Amino acid sequence: MHEIGVREVVQFAGFTFNWETLCMTWLTMAIVLLVAFLATRNLKMVPTGWQNVVEIIVTSLEAQIESTMGKRGLFLAPFIVSLFMFLLVSNWLGLFPTLASPTNDLNTTLGLALLVIVMVHTLGLYLKGGHYIKHFFQPTPVFVIINAIEEVAKPITLSFRLFGNILAGEILIIILLKLMPIWMPIPSVIWLAFSIFIGGVQAFIFTMLSMAYLANAVGGADEEAE
């Protein structure tokens, strides 16, 4: 049985690494790549099986990207789809008693959140230049302080929301498995189904918030550049 909060660490070149998180992260990436391979190995005009599942995810996210960032933001579709698939598999991985979700480690969620925020500012400066910096001083220059605090808070809230929900779900599953008798599987099954739903919702929320942040850097870039 996996123990929440007990992490195996290794030392390498003076650094400490969470071995379990690293293994689960690589396993998650392998599963995502396997799903992508199964979905694209025999493409059909009328999708079936894995191709149908992946196409539903891709087309749904592309529609969200276009409505949030406009057509200019579609170049971010590969990143957004990959992010969602990684989060979805990560969140569900911990539902297996012997495995742990990479997203139950704050290092993972904070790393993903920082990646998104760095992309936001990099794209904002690249696509909008001085106009992007100018918006931090609006509506008045004094607002730069508030806007700076908001930018610092974004990766913190984004990472802690995902981390807290996934960790709490895994803790409750383990408690239920320990407390429920073998002849009372129904509550555990119900909670497991609920956790699957929550894992999907949390992956969706993280992805949607990432898109909203990226929209500030990408959306309206052509108009502002003029």
Side-chain angles (χ1 to χ4, degrees):
M1 180 70 70
H2 170 69
E3 295 183 66
I4 297 292
V6 179
R7 305 188 184 281
E8 180 184 353
V9 297
V10 294
Q11 302 290 331
F12 180 76
F15 295 95
T16 301
F17 296 91
N18 184 342
W19 181 247
E20 181 184 52
T21 299
L22 288 174
C23 291
M24 293 299 101
T25 300
W26 280 98
L27 177 59
T28 300
M29 291 189 291
I31 293 173
V32 172
L33 289 174
L34 178 61
V35 171
F37 170 76
L38 293 175
T40 57
R41 64 173 179 171
N42 187 22
L43 295 175
K44 301 177 182 178
M45 291 298 296
V46 180
T48 58
W50 285 108
Q51 182 185 345
N52 193 37
V53 173
V54 173
E55 281 197 15
I56 291 173
I57 294 174
V58 171
T59 53
S60 299
L61 289 176
E62 283 185 344
Q64 290 290 335
I65 292 171
E66 189 169 348
S67 65
T68 304
M69 292 182 270
K71 291 186 179 295
R72 185 182 180 89
L74 288 175
F75 78 97
L76 287 169
F79 170 74
I80 296 297
V81 173
S82 299
L83 177 64
F84 176 77
M85 292 294 294
F86 177 84
L87 289 171
L88 190 64
V89 175
S90 294
N91 294 348
W92 286 349
L93 208 59
L95 299 179
F96 297 92
T98 57
L99 300 178
S101 300
T103 43
N104 82 359
D105 187 339
L106 186 58
N107 293 296
T108 300
T109 58
L110 184 58
L112 291 172
L114 288 173
L115 170 64
V116 171
I117 298 304
V118 168
M119 285 186 64
V120 168
H121 296 310
T122 302
L123 288 172
L125 290 172
Y126 177 74
L127 296 174
K128 298 182 179 181
H131 293 279
Y132 181 73
I133 298 176
K134 182 180 178 181
H135 93 276
F136 287 104
F137 296 86
Q138 295 175 340
T140 59
V142 72
F143 268 73
V144 67
I145 300 174
I146 298 175
N147 290 329
I149 294 174
E150 181 184 5
E151 293 303 315
V152 173
K154 282 179 180 179
I156 297 174
T157 56
L158 194 61
S159 58
F160 271 90
R161 180 187 296 106
L162 178 60
F163 162 72
N165 281 282
I166 299 305
L167 182 64
E170 291 190 10
I171 291 174
L172 287 175
I173 286 178
I174 289 177
I175 291 174
L176 282 174
L177 290 175
K178 286 181 176 293
L179 295 180
M180 291 297 174
I182 298 176
W183 49 271
M184 288 184 61
I186 294 179
S188 298
V189 172
I190 293 175
W191 181 256
L192 183 62
F194 181 70
S195 296
I196 292 174
F197 172 74
I198 292 299
V201 169
Q202 289 302 317
F204 182 77
I205 291 175
F206 191 100
T207 305
M208 291 301 103
L209 287 174
S210 299
M211 287 170 51
Y213 296 153
L214 287 165
N216 294 329
V218 177
D222 291 328
E223 294 81 357
E224 292 190 28
E226 295 173 359

